Amino acid sequence: MTLALEIKNFTKRYGSFKAVSQLSLEVKTGEIFGLLGPNGAGKSTTIGTICGINQFHDGEIKVFGFDIQKNPIEAKKKIGLSAQDYNVDPFLNLNNILEIVGGYYGLRKAVRKKRIKELLEQFNLTEHANKPFMRLSGGMKRRAMLARAMICDPELLILDEPTAALDVELRYELWEHIKRFNSEGKTIILTSHYIEEIERLCENIAIINHGKLLFKGSKKEIIKNYQSLEEAYRCFIKDNES
């Protein structure tokens, strides 16, 4: 089976600073994979590079077998990204935002219109489609970001802090969407500062800090010597800081 994501010896530099150093990871097709690390660990840099936002020179990254440097168009078609930040024009309404992204992916007008209608219905956003993004509630904005990520019906869905700043009920609601996507065959990479979120949704995880890989493996493997995933995570980070 082709891996959904394969990273080999990936290094990203900003001048003399190494944001990520010799990172190697594999994500299996059809799994929900958790990527953990504190702020500044290198998670967003790695995600940005996978999506073709950041350039790099050292290492290799493949998405469903497509090298993101040698076959960037094919690789990008496989990926949907829900970013942590609301990186949209706040004055545009949701319908326009989805139209623009659908056009970026080359969806024809009729296909784009049908897809947008489906996504608005899935995320209970139909009645809010013509509201400016800035007027949506926090929960609606998070659902809108997921809808935007799903416009191209991606095989690999990358969710960067998808439930940040949401209350408990809204987090549970988004968890159900994530589980549904996975049951429909989507491979998902999830980053979160909510350890409970990773514990509930992911089977395999990686922990990175200061751009270096500290652990990769199954959730069961990492907690076998600890009381919980949170305790294991804190110990890995603390040991790496000393």
Side-chain angles (χ1 to χ4, degrees), residues 127-164:
E127 64 182 284
H128 307 288
N130 294 312
K131 288 183 182 178
F133 186 84
M134 63 182 176
R135 289 182 55 198
L136 299 177
S137 68
M140 290 177 194
K141 287 176 179 176
R142 285 297 171 195
R143 281 183 275 148
M145 296 297 286
L146 280 174
R148 189 182 71 165
M150 292 294 292
I151 193 71
C152 64
D153 195 21
E155 293 180 51
L156 175 61
L157 182 60
I158 301 177
L159 307 178
D160 190 4
E161 301 288 347
T163 64

PDB file of all heavy atoms in Angstrom, residues 127-164:
ATOM      1  N   GLU A 127     -27.280  28.661   5.707  1.00  0.00           N
ATOM      2  CA  GLU A 127     -27.930  29.951   5.972  1.00  0.00           C
ATOM      3  C   GLU A 127     -26.929  31.068   6.251  1.00  0.00           C
ATOM      4  O   GLU A 127     -27.303  32.246   6.322  1.00  0.00           O
ATOM      5  CB  GLU A 127     -28.903  29.821   7.139  1.00  0.00           C
ATOM      6  CG  GLU A 127     -28.256  29.477   8.471  1.00  0.00           C
ATOM      7  CD  GLU A 127     -29.285  29.315   9.578  1.00  0.00           C
ATOM      8  OE1 GLU A 127     -29.795  30.347  10.055  1.00  0.00           O
ATOM      9  OE2 GLU A 127     -29.569  28.160   9.948  1.00  0.00           O
ATOM     10  N   HIS A 128     -25.656  30.703   6.391  1.00  0.00           N
ATOM     11  CA  HIS A 128     -24.614  31.706   6.671  1.00  0.00           C
ATOM     12  C   HIS A 128     -23.694  31.940   5.474  1.00  0.00           C
ATOM     13  O   HIS A 128     -22.684  32.645   5.593  1.00  0.00           O
ATOM     14  CB  HIS A 128     -23.776  31.262   7.863  1.00  0.00           C
ATOM     15  CG  HIS A 128     -24.583  30.930   9.082  1.00  0.00           C
ATOM     16  ND1 HIS A 128     -25.202  31.888   9.853  1.00  0.00           N
ATOM     17  CD2 HIS A 128     -24.905  29.722   9.635  1.00  0.00           C
ATOM     18  CE1 HIS A 128     -25.853  31.300  10.846  1.00  0.00           C
ATOM     19  NE2 HIS A 128     -25.689  29.992  10.738  1.00  0.00           N
ATOM     20  N   ALA A 129     -24.046  31.367   4.332  1.00  0.00           N
ATOM     21  CA  ALA A 129     -23.153  31.381   3.172  1.00  0.00           C
ATOM     22  C   ALA A 129     -22.849  32.780   2.658  1.00  0.00           C
ATOM     23  O   ALA A 129     -21.780  33.018   2.086  1.00  0.00           O
ATOM     24  CB  ALA A 129     -23.746  30.537   2.048  1.00  0.00           C
ATOM     25  N   ASN A 130     -23.756  33.715   2.854  1.00  0.00           N
ATOM     26  CA  ASN A 130     -23.558  35.067   2.323  1.00  0.00           C
ATOM     27  C   ASN A 130     -23.119  36.080   3.377  1.00  0.00           C
ATOM     28  O   ASN A 130     -23.074  37.282   3.111  1.00  0.00           O
ATOM     29  CB  ASN A 130     -24.848  35.548   1.644  1.00  0.00           C
ATOM     30  CG  ASN A 130     -25.163  34.725   0.404  1.00  0.00           C
ATOM     31  OD1 ASN A 130     -24.296  34.489  -0.435  1.00  0.00           O
ATOM     32  ND2 ASN A 130     -26.399  34.250   0.291  1.00  0.00           N
ATOM     33  N   LYS A 131     -22.759  35.577   4.555  1.00  0.00           N
ATOM     34  CA  LYS A 131     -22.245  36.463   5.598  1.00  0.00           C
ATOM     35  C   LYS A 131     -20.741  36.675   5.421  1.00  0.00           C
ATOM     36  O   LYS A 131     -20.022  35.730   5.069  1.00  0.00           O
ATOM     37  CB  LYS A 131     -22.482  35.847   6.982  1.00  0.00           C
ATOM     38  CG  LYS A 131     -23.921  35.855   7.451  1.00  0.00           C
ATOM     39  CD  LYS A 131     -23.992  35.284   8.869  1.00  0.00           C
ATOM     40  CE  LYS A 131     -25.428  35.237   9.369  1.00  0.00           C
ATOM     41  NZ  LYS A 131     -25.494  34.645  10.729  1.00  0.00           N
ATOM     42  N   PRO A 132     -20.252  37.890   5.674  1.00  0.00           N
ATOM     43  CA  PRO A 132     -18.794  38.073   5.676  1.00  0.00           C
ATOM     44  C   PRO A 132     -18.161  37.158   6.728  1.00  0.00           C
ATOM     45  O   PRO A 132     -18.737  36.933   7.796  1.00  0.00           O
ATOM     46  CB  PRO A 132     -18.622  39.549   6.069  1.00  0.00           C
ATOM     47  CG  PRO A 132     -19.922  40.196   5.723  1.00  0.00           C
ATOM     48  CD  PRO A 132     -20.976  39.156   5.938  1.00  0.00           C
ATOM     49  N   PHE A 133     -16.992  36.648   6.412  1.00  0.00           N
ATOM     50  CA  PHE A 133     -16.326  35.704   7.322  1.00  0.00           C
ATOM     51  C   PHE A 133     -16.179  36.289   8.722  1.00  0.00           C
ATOM     52  O   PHE A 133     -16.335  35.588   9.716  1.00  0.00           O
ATOM     53  CB  PHE A 133     -14.953  35.334   6.752  1.00  0.00           C
ATOM     54  CG  PHE A 133     -14.242  34.271   7.529  1.00  0.00           C
ATOM     55  CD1 PHE A 133     -14.504  32.922   7.303  1.00  0.00           C
ATOM     56  CD2 PHE A 133     -13.293  34.604   8.500  1.00  0.00           C
ATOM     57  CE1 PHE A 133     -13.851  31.934   8.021  1.00  0.00           C
ATOM     58  CE2 PHE A 133     -12.636  33.620   9.221  1.00  0.00           C
ATOM     59  CZ  PHE A 133     -12.922  32.274   8.986  1.00  0.00           C
ATOM     60  N   MET A 134     -15.899  37.583   8.813  1.00  0.00           N
ATOM     61  CA  MET A 134     -15.654  38.194  10.116  1.00  0.00           C
ATOM     62  C   MET A 134     -16.905  38.210  10.992  1.00  0.00           C
ATOM     63  O   MET A 134     -16.809  38.385  12.211  1.00  0.00           O
ATOM     64  CB  MET A 134     -15.109  39.616   9.946  1.00  0.00           C
ATOM     65  CG  MET A 134     -16.061  40.574   9.274  1.00  0.00           C
ATOM     66  SD  MET A 134     -15.272  42.203   9.071  1.00  0.00           S
ATOM     67  CE  MET A 134     -16.563  43.066   8.171  1.00  0.00           C
ATOM     68  N   ARG A 135     -18.067  38.010  10.411  1.00  0.00           N
ATOM     69  CA  ARG A 135     -19.308  38.021  11.186  1.00  0.00           C
ATOM     70  C   ARG A 135     -19.728  36.634  11.649  1.00  0.00           C
ATOM     71  O   ARG A 135     -20.722  36.481  12.354  1.00  0.00           O
ATOM     72  CB  ARG A 135     -20.432  38.657  10.360  1.00  0.00           C
ATOM     73  CG  ARG A 135     -20.292  40.156  10.163  1.00  0.00           C
ATOM     74  CD  ARG A 135     -21.465  40.706   9.380  1.00  0.00           C
ATOM     75  NE  ARG A 135     -22.749  40.363   9.991  1.00  0.00           N
ATOM     76  CZ  ARG A 135     -23.928  40.416   9.355  1.00  0.00           C
ATOM     77  NH1 ARG A 135     -23.953  40.786   8.084  1.00  0.00           N
ATOM     78  NH2 ARG A 135     -25.038  40.105   9.980  1.00  0.00           N
ATOM     79  N   LEU A 136     -18.976  35.613  11.265  1.00  0.00           N
ATOM     80  CA  LEU A 136     -19.285  34.255  11.706  1.00  0.00           C
ATOM     81  C   LEU A 136     -18.799  34.051  13.138  1.00  0.00           C
ATOM     82  O   LEU A 136     -17.812  34.649  13.566  1.00  0.00           O
ATOM     83  CB  LEU A 136     -18.612  33.232  10.785  1.00  0.00           C
ATOM     84  CG  LEU A 136     -19.005  33.259   9.310  1.00  0.00           C
ATOM     85  CD1 LEU A 136     -18.191  32.220   8.543  1.00  0.00           C
ATOM     86  CD2 LEU A 136     -20.499  33.017   9.126  1.00  0.00           C
ATOM     87  N   SER A 137     -19.476  33.195  13.874  1.00  0.00           N
ATOM     88  CA  SER A 137     -19.033  32.859  15.220  1.00  0.00           C
ATOM     89  C   SER A 137     -17.764  32.019  15.155  1.00  0.00           C
ATOM     90  O   SER A 137     -17.370  31.538  14.077  1.00  0.00           O
ATOM     91  CB  SER A 137     -20.127  32.078  15.951  1.00  0.00           C
ATOM     92  OG  SER A 137     -20.283  30.789  15.361  1.00  0.00           O
ATOM     93  N   GLY A 138     -17.112  31.807  16.309  1.00  0.00           N
ATOM     94  CA  GLY A 138     -15.886  31.003  16.340  1.00  0.00           C
ATOM     95  C   GLY A 138     -16.092  29.604  15.803  1.00  0.00           C
ATOM     96  O   GLY A 138     -15.286  29.091  15.017  1.00  0.00           O
ATOM     97  N   GLY A 139     -17.190  28.958  16.222  1.00  0.00           N
ATOM     98  CA  GLY A 139     -17.475  27.612  15.746  1.00  0.00           C
ATOM     99  C   GLY A 139     -17.736  27.571  14.258  1.00  0.00           C
ATOM    100  O   GLY A 139     -17.299  26.648  13.557  1.00  0.00           O
ATOM    101  N   MET A 140     -18.461  28.565  13.751  1.00  0.00           N
ATOM    102  CA  MET A 140     -18.728  28.629  12.313  1.00  0.00           C
ATOM    103  C   MET A 140     -17.440  28.835  11.517  1.00  0.00           C
ATOM    104  O   MET A 140     -17.258  28.256  10.436  1.00  0.00           O
ATOM    105  CB  MET A 140     -19.705  29.772  12.012  1.00  0.00           C
ATOM    106  CG  MET A 140     -21.115  29.556  12.496  1.00  0.00           C
ATOM    107  SD  MET A 140     -22.125  31.007  12.164  1.00  0.00           S
ATOM    108  CE  MET A 140     -23.564  30.646  13.181  1.00  0.00           C
ATOM    109  N   LYS A 141     -16.545  29.667  12.050  1.00  0.00           N
ATOM    110  CA  LYS A 141     -15.275  29.902  11.353  1.00  0.00           C
ATOM    111  C   LYS A 141     -14.459  28.625  11.252  1.00  0.00           C
ATOM    112  O   LYS A 141     -13.860  28.340  10.209  1.00  0.00           O
ATOM    113  CB  LYS A 141     -14.473  30.991  12.082  1.00  0.00           C
ATOM    114  CG  LYS A 141     -15.028  32.391  11.897  1.00  0.00           C
ATOM    115  CD  LYS A 141     -14.247  33.409  12.721  1.00  0.00           C
ATOM    116  CE  LYS A 141     -14.802  34.812  12.507  1.00  0.00           C
ATOM    117  NZ  LYS A 141     -14.141  35.821  13.359  1.00  0.00           N
ATOM    118  N   ARG A 142     -14.438  27.826  12.325  1.00  0.00           N
ATOM    119  CA  ARG A 142     -13.695  26.565  12.289  1.00  0.00           C
ATOM    120  C   ARG A 142     -14.324  25.601  11.283  1.00  0.00           C
ATOM    121  O   ARG A 142     -13.629  24.911  10.536  1.00  0.00           O
ATOM    122  CB  ARG A 142     -13.653  25.937  13.679  1.00  0.00           C
ATOM    123  CG  ARG A 142     -12.695  26.617  14.642  1.00  0.00           C
ATOM    124  CD  ARG A 142     -11.256  26.521  14.149  1.00  0.00           C
ATOM    125  NE  ARG A 142     -10.350  27.344  14.950  1.00  0.00           N
ATOM    126  CZ  ARG A 142      -9.127  27.662  14.589  1.00  0.00           C
ATOM    127  NH1 ARG A 142      -8.652  27.234  13.428  1.00  0.00           N
ATOM    128  NH2 ARG A 142      -8.367  28.404  15.363  1.00  0.00           N
ATOM    129  N   ARG A 143     -15.644  25.551  11.258  1.00  0.00           N
ATOM    130  CA  ARG A 143     -16.324  24.687  10.275  1.00  0.00           C
ATOM    131  C   ARG A 143     -16.075  25.198   8.859  1.00  0.00           C
ATOM    132  O   ARG A 143     -15.929  24.410   7.919  1.00  0.00           O
ATOM    133  CB  ARG A 143     -17.822  24.630  10.573  1.00  0.00           C
ATOM    134  CG  ARG A 143     -18.176  23.688  11.704  1.00  0.00           C
ATOM    135  CD  ARG A 143     -19.667  23.603  11.914  1.00  0.00           C
ATOM    136  NE  ARG A 143     -20.142  24.674  12.774  1.00  0.00           N
ATOM    137  CZ  ARG A 143     -21.338  25.243  12.675  1.00  0.00           C
ATOM    138  NH1 ARG A 143     -22.173  24.869  11.716  1.00  0.00           N
ATOM    139  NH2 ARG A 143     -21.707  26.187  13.511  1.00  0.00           N
ATOM    140  N   ALA A 144     -16.028  26.510   8.718  1.00  0.00           N
ATOM    141  CA  ALA A 144     -15.750  27.090   7.398  1.00  0.00           C
ATOM    142  C   ALA A 144     -14.354  26.719   6.912  1.00  0.00           C
ATOM    143  O   ALA A 144     -14.148  26.436   5.726  1.00  0.00           O
ATOM    144  CB  ALA A 144     -15.899  28.610   7.458  1.00  0.00           C
ATOM    145  N   MET A 145     -13.382  26.723   7.828  1.00  0.00           N
ATOM    146  CA  MET A 145     -12.022  26.337   7.461  1.00  0.00           C
ATOM    147  C   MET A 145     -11.965  24.875   7.029  1.00  0.00           C
ATOM    148  O   MET A 145     -11.244  24.513   6.082  1.00  0.00           O
ATOM    149  CB  MET A 145     -11.067  26.581   8.628  1.00  0.00           C
ATOM    150  CG  MET A 145     -10.929  28.046   9.034  1.00  0.00           C
ATOM    151  SD  MET A 145     -10.244  29.099   7.746  1.00  0.00           S
ATOM    152  CE  MET A 145      -8.526  28.614   7.786  1.00  0.00           C
ATOM    153  N   LEU A 146     -12.733  24.033   7.705  1.00  0.00           N
ATOM    154  CA  LEU A 146     -12.797  22.623   7.311  1.00  0.00           C
ATOM    155  C   LEU A 146     -13.453  22.473   5.942  1.00  0.00           C
ATOM    156  O   LEU A 146     -13.001  21.690   5.105  1.00  0.00           O
ATOM    157  CB  LEU A 146     -13.570  21.808   8.350  1.00  0.00           C
ATOM    158  CG  LEU A 146     -12.811  21.398   9.606  1.00  0.00           C
ATOM    159  CD1 LEU A 146     -13.758  20.730  10.600  1.00  0.00           C
ATOM    160  CD2 LEU A 146     -11.676  20.451   9.274  1.00  0.00           C
ATOM    161  N   ALA A 147     -14.531  23.228   5.715  1.00  0.00           N
ATOM    162  CA  ALA A 147     -15.201  23.176   4.416  1.00  0.00           C
ATOM    163  C   ALA A 147     -14.253  23.601   3.304  1.00  0.00           C
ATOM    164  O   ALA A 147     -14.206  22.981   2.233  1.00  0.00           O
ATOM    165  CB  ALA A 147     -16.435  24.078   4.435  1.00  0.00           C
ATOM    166  N   ARG A 148     -13.474  24.653   3.555  1.00  0.00           N
ATOM    167  CA  ARG A 148     -12.505  25.107   2.552  1.00  0.00           C
ATOM    168  C   ARG A 148     -11.463  24.037   2.262  1.00  0.00           C
ATOM    169  O   ARG A 148     -11.090  23.805   1.110  1.00  0.00           O
ATOM    170  CB  ARG A 148     -11.830  26.399   3.022  1.00  0.00           C
ATOM    171  CG  ARG A 148     -10.974  27.044   1.958  1.00  0.00           C
ATOM    172  CD  ARG A 148     -10.265  28.284   2.448  1.00  0.00           C
ATOM    173  NE  ARG A 148      -9.201  27.957   3.397  1.00  0.00           N
ATOM    174  CZ  ARG A 148      -8.242  28.828   3.746  1.00  0.00           C
ATOM    175  NH1 ARG A 148      -8.235  30.052   3.243  1.00  0.00           N
ATOM    176  NH2 ARG A 148      -7.312  28.478   4.608  1.00  0.00           N
ATOM    177  N   ALA A 149     -11.003  23.364   3.326  1.00  0.00           N
ATOM    178  CA  ALA A 149     -10.007  22.306   3.144  1.00  0.00           C
ATOM    179  C   ALA A 149     -10.563  21.128   2.353  1.00  0.00           C
ATOM    180  O   ALA A 149      -9.817  20.422   1.676  1.00  0.00           O
ATOM    181  CB  ALA A 149      -9.514  21.821   4.510  1.00  0.00           C
ATOM    182  N   MET A 150     -11.873  20.915   2.436  1.00  0.00           N
ATOM    183  CA  MET A 150     -12.496  19.762   1.792  1.00  0.00           C
ATOM    184  C   MET A 150     -12.979  20.040   0.370  1.00  0.00           C
ATOM    185  O   MET A 150     -13.487  19.140  -0.294  1.00  0.00           O
ATOM    186  CB  MET A 150     -13.668  19.279   2.642  1.00  0.00           C
ATOM    187  CG  MET A 150     -13.280  18.665   3.973  1.00  0.00           C
ATOM    188  SD  MET A 150     -12.353  17.128   3.782  1.00  0.00           S
ATOM    189  CE  MET A 150     -13.635  16.065   3.107  1.00  0.00           C
ATOM    190  N   ILE A 151     -12.853  21.272  -0.108  1.00  0.00           N
ATOM    191  CA  ILE A 151     -13.420  21.646  -1.404  1.00  0.00           C
ATOM    192  C   ILE A 151     -12.904  20.770  -2.539  1.00  0.00           C
ATOM    193  O   ILE A 151     -13.619  20.453  -3.485  1.00  0.00           O
ATOM    194  CB  ILE A 151     -13.168  23.147  -1.712  1.00  0.00           C
ATOM    195  CG1 ILE A 151     -14.004  23.627  -2.895  1.00  0.00           C
ATOM    196  CG2 ILE A 151     -11.703  23.425  -1.939  1.00  0.00           C
ATOM    197  CD1 ILE A 151     -15.467  23.742  -2.617  1.00  0.00           C
ATOM    198  N   CYS A 152     -11.637  20.343  -2.459  1.00  0.00           N
ATOM    199  CA  CYS A 152     -11.046  19.537  -3.534  1.00  0.00           C
ATOM    200  C   CYS A 152     -11.183  18.040  -3.280  1.00  0.00           C
ATOM    201  O   CYS A 152     -10.595  17.233  -4.005  1.00  0.00           O
ATOM    202  CB  CYS A 152      -9.578  19.901  -3.727  1.00  0.00           C
ATOM    203  SG  CYS A 152      -8.545  19.518  -2.279  1.00  0.00           S
ATOM    204  N   ASP A 153     -11.968  17.673  -2.249  1.00  0.00           N
ATOM    205  CA  ASP A 153     -12.141  16.274  -1.870  1.00  0.00           C
ATOM    206  C   ASP A 153     -10.784  15.584  -1.718  1.00  0.00           C
ATOM    207  O   ASP A 153     -10.488  14.593  -2.373  1.00  0.00           O
ATOM    208  CB  ASP A 153     -12.996  15.540  -2.914  1.00  0.00           C
ATOM    209  CG  ASP A 153     -13.505  14.200  -2.401  1.00  0.00           C
ATOM    210  OD1 ASP A 153     -13.560  14.005  -1.168  1.00  0.00           O
ATOM    211  OD2 ASP A 153     -13.835  13.333  -3.238  1.00  0.00           O
ATOM    212  N   PRO A 154      -9.927  16.112  -0.831  1.00  0.00           N
ATOM    213  CA  PRO A 154      -8.544  15.628  -0.732  1.00  0.00           C
ATOM    214  C   PRO A 154      -8.441  14.226  -0.150  1.00  0.00           C
ATOM    215  O   PRO A 154      -9.303  13.796   0.616  1.00  0.00           O
ATOM    216  CB  PRO A 154      -7.905  16.643   0.224  1.00  0.00           C
ATOM    217  CG  PRO A 154      -9.035  17.059   1.115  1.00  0.00           C
ATOM    218  CD  PRO A 154     -10.234  17.119   0.216  1.00  0.00           C
ATOM    219  N   GLU A 155      -7.376  13.546  -0.511  1.00  0.00           N
ATOM    220  CA  GLU A 155      -7.103  12.238   0.079  1.00  0.00           C
ATOM    221  C   GLU A 155      -6.357  12.382   1.407  1.00  0.00           C
ATOM    222  O   GLU A 155      -6.462  11.527   2.292  1.00  0.00           O
ATOM    223  CB  GLU A 155      -6.282  11.381  -0.887  1.00  0.00           C
ATOM    224  CG  GLU A 155      -7.050  10.991  -2.150  1.00  0.00           C
ATOM    225  CD  GLU A 155      -6.218  10.139  -3.082  1.00  0.00           C
ATOM    226  OE1 GLU A 155      -5.642   9.140  -2.609  1.00  0.00           O
ATOM    227  OE2 GLU A 155      -6.136  10.480  -4.277  1.00  0.00           O
ATOM    228  N   LEU A 156      -5.581  13.471   1.537  1.00  0.00           N
ATOM    229  CA  LEU A 156      -4.846  13.764   2.772  1.00  0.00           C
ATOM    230  C   LEU A 156      -5.353  15.087   3.323  1.00  0.00           C
ATOM    231  O   LEU A 156      -5.230  16.132   2.684  1.00  0.00           O
ATOM    232  CB  LEU A 156      -3.344  13.853   2.504  1.00  0.00           C
ATOM    233  CG  LEU A 156      -2.458  14.269   3.687  1.00  0.00           C
ATOM    234  CD1 LEU A 156      -2.573  13.268   4.835  1.00  0.00           C
ATOM    235  CD2 LEU A 156      -1.003  14.421   3.253  1.00  0.00           C
ATOM    236  N   LEU A 157      -5.933  15.036   4.507  1.00  0.00           N
ATOM    237  CA  LEU A 157      -6.471  16.223   5.155  1.00  0.00           C
ATOM    238  C   LEU A 157      -5.572  16.590   6.330  1.00  0.00           C
ATOM    239  O   LEU A 157      -5.371  15.779   7.239  1.00  0.00           O
ATOM    240  CB  LEU A 157      -7.894  15.949   5.637  1.00  0.00           C
ATOM    241  CG  LEU A 157      -8.657  17.091   6.302  1.00  0.00           C
ATOM    242  CD1 LEU A 157      -8.814  18.273   5.344  1.00  0.00           C
ATOM    243  CD2 LEU A 157     -10.024  16.603   6.766  1.00  0.00           C
ATOM    244  N   ILE A 158      -5.021  17.799   6.303  1.00  0.00           N
ATOM    245  CA  ILE A 158      -4.134  18.254   7.367  1.00  0.00           C
ATOM    246  C   ILE A 158      -4.871  19.291   8.202  1.00  0.00           C
ATOM    247  O   ILE A 158      -5.289  20.334   7.690  1.00  0.00           O
ATOM    248  CB  ILE A 158      -2.836  18.850   6.789  1.00  0.00           C
ATOM    249  CG1 ILE A 158      -2.111  17.808   5.937  1.00  0.00           C
ATOM    250  CG2 ILE A 158      -1.924  19.339   7.913  1.00  0.00           C
ATOM    251  CD1 ILE A 158      -0.855  18.313   5.255  1.00  0.00           C
ATOM    252  N   LEU A 159      -5.020  18.996   9.486  1.00  0.00           N
ATOM    253  CA  LEU A 159      -5.769  19.853  10.399  1.00  0.00           C
ATOM    254  C   LEU A 159      -4.810  20.416  11.445  1.00  0.00           C
ATOM    255  O   LEU A 159      -4.339  19.692  12.320  1.00  0.00           O
ATOM    256  CB  LEU A 159      -6.886  19.056  11.076  1.00  0.00           C
ATOM    257  CG  LEU A 159      -7.838  18.294  10.134  1.00  0.00           C
ATOM    258  CD1 LEU A 159      -8.857  17.510  10.945  1.00  0.00           C
ATOM    259  CD2 LEU A 159      -8.527  19.260   9.184  1.00  0.00           C
ATOM    260  N   ASP A 160      -4.527  21.698  11.341  1.00  0.00           N
ATOM    261  CA  ASP A 160      -3.589  22.361  12.244  1.00  0.00           C
ATOM    262  C   ASP A 160      -4.390  23.086  13.326  1.00  0.00           C
ATOM    263  O   ASP A 160      -4.983  24.134  13.066  1.00  0.00           O
ATOM    264  CB  ASP A 160      -2.731  23.343  11.447  1.00  0.00           C
ATOM    265  CG  ASP A 160      -1.563  23.887  12.262  1.00  0.00           C
ATOM    266  OD1 ASP A 160      -1.385  23.446  13.417  1.00  0.00           O
ATOM    267  OD2 ASP A 160      -0.830  24.736  11.733  1.00  0.00           O
ATOM    268  N   GLU A 161      -4.427  22.512  14.515  1.00  0.00           N
ATOM    269  CA  GLU A 161      -5.180  23.078  15.638  1.00  0.00           C
ATOM    270  C   GLU A 161      -6.630  23.389  15.241  1.00  0.00           C
ATOM    271  O   GLU A 161      -7.101  24.521  15.380  1.00  0.00           O
ATOM    272  CB  GLU A 161      -4.498  24.345  16.149  1.00  0.00           C
ATOM    273  CG  GLU A 161      -3.076  24.166  16.632  1.00  0.00           C
ATOM    274  CD  GLU A 161      -2.999  23.423  17.969  1.00  0.00           C
ATOM    275  OE1 GLU A 161      -4.034  23.265  18.631  1.00  0.00           O
ATOM    276  OE2 GLU A 161      -1.890  22.996  18.329  1.00  0.00           O
ATOM    277  N   PRO A 162      -7.385  22.388  14.756  1.00  0.00           N
ATOM    278  CA  PRO A 162      -8.728  22.661  14.225  1.00  0.00           C
ATOM    279  C   PRO A 162      -9.748  23.074  15.268  1.00  0.00           C
ATOM    280  O   PRO A 162     -10.787  23.643  14.910  1.00  0.00           O
ATOM    281  CB  PRO A 162      -9.114  21.323  13.589  1.00  0.00           C
ATOM    282  CG  PRO A 162      -8.364  20.302  14.378  1.00  0.00           C
ATOM    283  CD  PRO A 162      -7.047  20.958  14.688  1.00  0.00           C
ATOM    284  N   THR A 163      -9.488  22.794  16.547  1.00  0.00           N
ATOM    285  CA  THR A 163     -10.467  23.142  17.579  1.00  0.00           C
ATOM    286  C   THR A 163      -9.943  24.208  18.538  1.00  0.00           C
ATOM    287  O   THR A 163     -10.466  24.365  19.643  1.00  0.00           O
ATOM    288  CB  THR A 163     -10.893  21.893  18.373  1.00  0.00           C
ATOM    289  OG1 THR A 163      -9.759  21.362  19.070  1.00  0.00           O
ATOM    290  CG2 THR A 163     -11.472  20.831  17.468  1.00  0.00           C
ATOM    291  N   ALA A 164      -8.912  24.936  18.132  1.00  0.00           N
ATOM    292  CA  ALA A 164      -8.330  25.962  19.001  1.00  0.00           C
ATOM    293  C   ALA A 164      -9.375  26.993  19.403  1.00  0.00           C
ATOM    294  O   ALA A 164     -10.145  27.487  18.577  1.00  0.00           O
ATOM    295  CB  ALA A 164      -7.169  26.655  18.282  1.00  0.00           C
TER     296      ALA A 164
END
